[in-house]
Amino acid sequence: MFKPVKVAMIGCGSISGIYLQNITNVFKELELVGVCDLIRERAEKAQAAYNVPKLYETMYDAFADPEVEVVLNLTRPYQHFDVSKAALEAGKHVYSEKPLGADFEEGKALVALAKEKGLMLGGAPDTFLGAGIQSCRELIDRGVIGKPIGAACFMICHGHETWHPDPEFYYKRGGGPMMDMGPYYVTALVNLLGGIQSVSGVTRSFFPKRVITSEPHCGEIIDVESPTHLTGILEFDSGAVGTIFTTFDVHYKSQARFEVYGTEGTMMVPDPNCFDGPIMVLRPEDGEWKEMPLTFDYRENSRGIGLADMACALRTGSPFRASWEQTYHVLEVLTSFEKSNDSHAAYRMETHYDRKPALKRGPIHGVLEEGAAL
C-alpha cells in the first residue's frame, strides 16, 4: 500500500473539469494539492468547487512547492513545451495533456531532459485505457479476427469555431485535426497493432480563414496556420498497413468509422475519444456484425486514469502505459504527415514503440493496483 501521489494542476480551462472530478472523486492513487491558471478566476473556481488546498499565483510557485510530486500540464498545446520543460527542470515528474509538444523537436527536447533528470514524463490521451480499446486489444490478441493486416480510421468534422468558447488555438501552431484529434486515433492504433515504422501523408488547408460564430468571440476572424485536412498511410512494424484521415474542412453528420482488418475477420473499433463501446466484429462464418461485450472497467469518462497509472508506476515500479515512449512515438507520427507532404516522400520514423502490458482488471473501481492507495 502507498500514500497517494500529490499533484499540482497547471491550467484550469475546459478540459480541467473532468480531471478535477476524477482526481478528487475516483482515483485513489492521486491527491490534488494545488491549482494554477493565468486567469486567476478559473483557478479560484476550481479550488472552491473541489476543495483544493492551494492556489498558486504562478506555475513556478507550484514547481517550487516541495509537497508536489507530479505536475499535471493542462495548458494549450503550444504552451505544453514551456510548462513541461520548466517543471522537469524544477525536478517534478510531468503528465501532460496531448500532444507532448507542438512539434517533434519539442518532444525530443523534453524526453532528453526527463532522461537527464531521471524523471517520469508522459501524458494523454488515456482513453486507450478505457473499456472500449482495452476490450478491443484483448479480442485482437486472442486472435478473434486472425492476424491484423490493416486498419482505417476517420475523424471528420467542420472545425470548432461554431461551438467552442475559445477556438482560435485549434488553428494555430500545435493545432489542426491531426494534432488535436489524431492523438486519440494514433494512440489507439499503436495499442492495438504496435509501433509504426513509416508514414506517408498529404496535407491541405482549404479554408485559410475561419469566422467564429460561438460566444464570446462571435464574428472574430481566425487566420489558419496549421493543416486542416490530412490523409496518411501508416506502415506498422508488424507489416500491417493503415490509413488515417482527419479534417476540419468537411461537413459530416455522424461519427466516422474506425476499423481493424484481420485475416479472419473485421473489427469496428469504438470512438477512441471515448472510453466505452460498442465493439462490432464480422467473421465470415457469421455473415453479419456481432456486438462484443466490454470486458474491462472504466466505461465512463475516466480522463486521469493515465495519471493514476503514472502514480502506480512511480510508487511501485509497475508499467507506466501512458509514458513518453508512447506519447513521443505518437507525436512523431502526428508531425510526420506534413513532413511527408512537403518532401513528396515517405517519412521514416526515428522512434520505436513496443506495446506496454494491457491494463489489469481490478476489483475496486478507482484503484488500478490492488491495495495500492491508503
Side-chain angles (χ1 to χ4, degrees), residues 319-345:
F320 178 25
R321 297 166 179 85
S323 70
W324 67 259
E325 287 95 343
Q326 175 172 283
T327 58
Y328 186 37
H329 187 69
V330 168
L331 177 62
E332 185 177 15
V333 174
L334 301 176
T335 57
S336 64
F337 297 97
E338 193 170 1
K339 294 175 183 177
S340 173
N341 176 80
D342 293 345
S343 67
H344 301 284

Side-chain angles (χ1 to χ4, degrees), residues 98 155-171 175-182 184 210-215 217 222 228 247-250 273:
K98 49 81 183 168
M155 194 298 298
I156 306 175
C157 74
H158 206 268
H160 299 353
E161 64 271 20
T162 61
W163 61 271
H164 197 281
D166 191 18
E168 185 176 14
F169 74 91
Y170 287 104
Y171 300 97
M178 187 59 74
M179 296 294 282
D180 174 42
M181 295 300 295
Y184 298 105
R210 300 274 181 154
V211 180
I212 301 175
T213 59
S214 59
E215 295 295 345
H217 298 285
I222 302 172
T228 52
T247 182
F248 284 166
D249 295 348
V250 174
N273 189 24

